[in-house]
Amino acid sequence: MSRMITAIAVALGVTAGAEGSAGRPHTSLGPIKQIDAGVLNIGYAEAGPAGGTAVVLLHGWPYDIHSFVDVAPILAAKGYHVVVPYLRGYGTTRFLSRDTVRNAQQSAVALDIIKLMDALKIDKAIVAGFDWGARTAAIMAVLWPERCKAIVSVSGYLISSIEFNKKPLPPAAEYAWWYQYYFATERGRLGYSQNTHDFDKLVWKIVSPRWNFDDATFDRTAASFDNPDHVDIVIHNYRWRQGLANGEPQYDELEQKLFKGPVITVPAITISSDFDGPARDGKSYASKFTGKYSHRILNGIGHNVPQEAPEAFAQAVIDVDGY
């Protein structure tokens, strides 16, 4: 398996050092490492001194670790120990058993990161992310607060409740989630499987209309969607949120805690962008953060905040460390 993972890492273009230069984007996060953690063999990039304060950076869909290609060097230069893992279904991360359910319910994804921290012997970390990564950071903060020194969450409080998700939203909000309804159908599964590259590129353009990314930037990330479990993981994630796919019994207790909408007590900074629309002021979820907390608004930035505004994202991580 290790030989196969090495070949994939080379194909993803992640074996070169993250040299970069001032004012120029980095092209790599450096060599990809692999470690068994829970039900997965997780691929991850690492930067900064091993003895530094740990920071775990978490991507979402349809993105990958390269969302943090410019964030990680900033934090490493400040002395942080930065870990950037591929989530289940992305990049070089693989299930250890072919018999494991390709499940992407929210607690399972969060537990993956706890298991990764265990495997890396990281007792506590600042956890920062966007999209699935922001949800995972919030879940870790409420279920395992002792493992989170602080969190940075783009788009605020994203913990899902299946019952809440059954309630219809205003038409404009429903329109924004068009892809979730597409994924609810077998036509959607087949369409995403056949057109993953073009589908995800379209999503990038829709949710970050002012981000003038080039083909090379997208293709670098798109290589991680070639993971054999990617389609199953993505489809299950969105169907599960709508109550259209079952989770696994071993996560029931965790999900019941999350469905109650628990508050986050650890220090936190939330970030919103143009993507968040009317919710960008953060008022709708401010009460969910009862520890030291602040909210930041980034104008002219789309959904992929760490890649579109790496300095601002990295500064949030640095600042929340002082809370």
Side-chain angles (χ1 to χ4, degrees):
M1 182 174 183
S2 61
R3 188 174 298 173
M4 177 186 71
I5 294 296
T6 300
I8 294 170
V10 170
L12 289 171
V14 292
T15 56
E19 303 295 338
S21 60
R24 199 172 91 196
H26 292 77
T27 59
S28 168
L29 284 161
I32 296 300
K33 302 177 181 181
Q34 300 291 142
I35 193 167
D36 287 351
V39 300
L40 300 172
N41 177 268
I42 295 179
Y44 67 99
E46 195 170 26
T53 297
V55 176
V56 179
L57 302 176
L58 301 174
H59 68 84
W61 173 86
Y63 305 97
D64 81 335
I65 62 174
H66 291 97
S67 288
F68 302 102
V69 72
D70 294 312
V71 173
I74 295 171
L75 296 176
K78 293 289 186 179
Y80 290 96
H81 174 204
V82 184
V83 176
V84 194
Y86 285 111
L87 299 185
R88 54 172 61 192
Y90 295 81
T92 60
T93 291
R94 295 289 187 274
F95 286 89
L96 293 172
S97 170
R98 68 179 63 186
D99 297 325
T100 303
V101 177
R102 273 37 179 178
N103 174 4
Q105 68 185 102
Q106 59 184 356
S107 60
V109 176
L111 189 58
D112 289 343
I113 308 307
I114 293 295
K115 294 297 185 181
L116 173 64
M117 290 173 61
D118 290 344
L120 295 176
K121 296 180 169 54
I122 296 174
D123 180 60
K124 182 176 287 192
I126 300 169
V127 185
F130 73 109
D131 198 81
W132 293 17
R135 178 174 295 105
T136 299
I139 290 169
M140 291 172 65
V142 299
L143 294 181
W144 301 282
E146 72 281 0
R147 307 300 298 272
C148 299
K149 184 176 183 182
I151 69 167
V152 173
S153 175
V154 173
S155 299
Y157 187 92
L158 297 179
I159 296 175
S160 292
S161 164
I162 292 177
E163 285 305 312
F164 179 82
N165 287 345
K166 291 178 181 178
K167 299 176 182 178
L169 299 171
E174 296 284 14
Y175 176 73
W177 304 125
W178 64 273
Y179 58 90
Q180 297 197 28
Y181 304 123
Y182 182 64
F183 288 162
T185 68
E186 284 307 301
R187 176 187 175 95
R189 173 191 284 276
L190 182 61
Y192 187 62
S193 177
Q194 292 180 350
N195 302 292
T196 308
H197 181 280
D198 291 348
F199 190 100
D200 290 345
K201 193 171 187 177
L202 174 63
V203 171
W204 276 36
K205 292 177 179 179
I206 291 172
V207 301
S208 296
R210 299 189 186 184
W211 182 30
N212 189 29
F213 62 88
D214 59 18
D215 288 344
T217 297
F218 176 76
D219 289 343
R220 178 179 59 187
T221 286
S224 72
F225 308 147
D226 290 336
N227 184 296
D229 300 307
H230 179 75
V231 172
D232 286 344
I233 289 296
V234 171
I235 296 298
H236 184 270
N237 179 281
Y238 289 107
R239 289 186 180 181
W240 178 84
R241 288 195 217 174
Q242 300 296 330
L244 301 175
N246 293 327
E248 292 180 90
Q250 64 263 38
Y251 302 110
D252 285 352
E253 184 176 350
L254 297 178
E255 294 296 351
Q256 289 306 313
K257 293 178 181 178
L258 296 174
F259 292 164
K260 295 176 182 178
V263 298
I264 293 171
T265 60
V266 306
I269 291 176
T270 54
I271 299 173
S272 67
S273 65
D274 291 356
F275 172 80
D276 296 292
R280 67 200 311 269
D281 61 11
K283 292 180 180 178
S284 63
Y285 49 75
S287 63
K288 290 294 188 180
F289 298 87
T290 61
K292 188 168 183 182
Y293 168 72
S294 65
H295 179 69
R296 299 177 180 183
I297 300 173
L298 301 181
N299 294 314
I301 300 300
H303 190 37
N304 189 358
V305 169
Q307 199 162 1
E308 296 178 63
E311 295 85 1
F313 189 90
Q315 191 60 53
V317 173
I318 295 166
D319 291 346
V320 82
D321 187 24
Y323 279 12

